[in-house]
Amino acid sequence: MATLGIDLGGTKIALGVLEGGRLIQRGRITTPREGAEAVLQAMIAAANEALAEAGAPVTAVGVGTPGPIDYERGVVVFAPNIARFRDVPLRARLEEALQRPVALENDANAAALAEHHLGAARGAASSFFVTVSTGIGGGLVADGRVWRGAYGQAGEFGHLTVLPGGPVCGCGNAGCLEAVASGRALARDASYAYAEPLDTPELFARWRAGEAKAARIVEAAADYLGQALADAQKLWDPEVVVVGGGVALGGGEVWLERVRRAFERHAAGWRTAPLLPARLGEDAGVIGAALAARALAPEGP
């Protein structure tokens, strides 16, 4: 049984056909900037091309999308970083165009599902996945299924308040984890401290070179992340915690070890789960979306 996964992002739309536990086909296009209709048309065209070229019959489609989702209606309430993408009936439009059932899932939840079943948390009864990239997201998987909560908001890890009165977050609150520990926050603080535009790779390079200002910025962000992970451990108590995303990849094992120590320190004696690096990289969103589609796929012969 094969399913098509689509990972909708602010800059790219990635696609892949999953058969068994392996991606047998991959594709990627640039996300249009002209609004929802342009994004929909580009997604439909790319999906139809993938379906036509798939080496196996594709029975269902899954889409991982940023932002909140009205799961009952199949509507994306809004997608951050995609212009004019609000109240989009994504499921209905794709089902009509692709003639297959479509599952919608939050992008961080989709990646969590992938890492749980086929990645770093494989074999665990429960896992919590955190992605630290431009923003920060999370997803909780228990007994093989994503835990969305009563209102579809579970796992919004980046919007835990870790510094009351701190920098204003994109969500409008002050002091969210995303506002102090994401890639965007690191670049903001580095650019201010060095009085020149700096991105996160350059910041990490200066940190590894032993520059004091870079160390203050990187290590403070790692501490905030460890603090939030300790709170998540006490609240959800997952068996395994998996950390992925561009910042995690750029920071490497040294950065992850710094987060791990902060996690244990803020847990203050409470037991902490193993903290593992993600294994699936950029494929996690596509794989997770394809896994979500399996629940809709009719059983083959």
Side-chain angles (χ1 to χ4, degrees):
M1 177 176 65
T3 53
L4 173 65
I6 304 174
D7 183 18
L8 173 61
T11 59
K12 65 176 175 59
I13 301 171
L15 304 91
V17 175
L18 185 73
E19 185 177 32
R22 186 172 64 91
L23 283 176
I24 61 173
Q25 181 184 339
R26 291 178 176 86
R28 177 179 296 189
I29 62 172
T30 300
T31 305
R33 297 181 178 274
E34 295 79 17
E37 187 59 32
V39 173
L40 279 166
Q41 292 302 326
M43 190 184 302
I44 289 167
N48 274 321
E49 183 177 346
L51 293 170
E53 296 177 357
V58 175
T59 54
V61 177
V63 182
T65 175
I69 299 169
D70 184 330
Y71 289 99
E72 186 175 346
R73 296 190 299 134
V75 170
V76 179
V77 179
F78 72 90
N81 303 317
I82 302 179
R84 300 183 299 281
F85 204 93
R86 284 184 173 272
D87 296 319
V88 178
L90 190 58
R91 185 173 65 202
R93 289 291 301 274
L94 290 182
E95 287 183 340
E96 179 183 9
L98 305 179
Q99 294 298 295
R100 286 168 175 82
V102 172
L104 295 188
E105 189 55 84
N106 172 268
D107 55 356
N109 284 347
L113 197 63
E115 288 289 348
H116 183 88
H117 287 286
L118 298 173
R122 189 169 187 171
S126 62
S127 63
F128 183 56
F129 172 77
V130 177
T131 176
V132 186
S133 192
T134 303
I136 296 179
L140 179 69
V141 179
D143 297 326
R145 302 180 64 178
V146 170
W147 173 250
R148 296 174 180 163
Y151 306 105
Q153 301 172 151
E156 287 291 349
F157 184 66
H159 300 290
L160 296 180
T161 301
V162 295
L163 182 62
V168 176
C169 181
C171 73
N173 288 325
C176 291
L177 177 64
E178 184 171 297
V180 297
S182 65
R184 184 182 296 155
L186 288 168
R188 176 201 65 213
D189 291 349
S191 297
Y192 181 84
Y194 284 95
E196 61 178 302
L198 285 184
D199 58 14
T200 51
E202 176 61 25
L203 173 64
F204 277 124
R206 295 187 183 203
W207 173 52
R208 292 190 183 93
E211 293 191 16
K213 284 194 287 190
R216 289 285 298 271
I217 295 165
V218 171
E219 292 167 11
D223 190 74
Y224 284 125
L225 182 57
Q227 174 187 333
L229 285 172
D231 289 342
Q233 182 77 54
K234 295 168 189 173
L235 182 63
W236 290 315
D237 198 26
E239 184 178 343
V240 175
V241 174
V242 178
V243 181
V247 170
L249 185 63
E253 180 55 39
V254 176
W255 175 84
L256 189 66
E257 179 57 31
R258 181 84 190 192
V259 174
R260 187 179 288 118
R261 293 201 303 269
F263 179 24
E264 293 170 353
R265 184 175 72 256
H266 285 288
W270 295 81
R271 182 172 177 176
T272 56
L275 187 64
L276 306 176
R279 290 182 184 171
L280 300 178
E282 292 187 349
D283 287 336
V286 169
I287 292 172
L291 287 173
R294 285 186 175 180
L296 303 178
E299 293 294 328

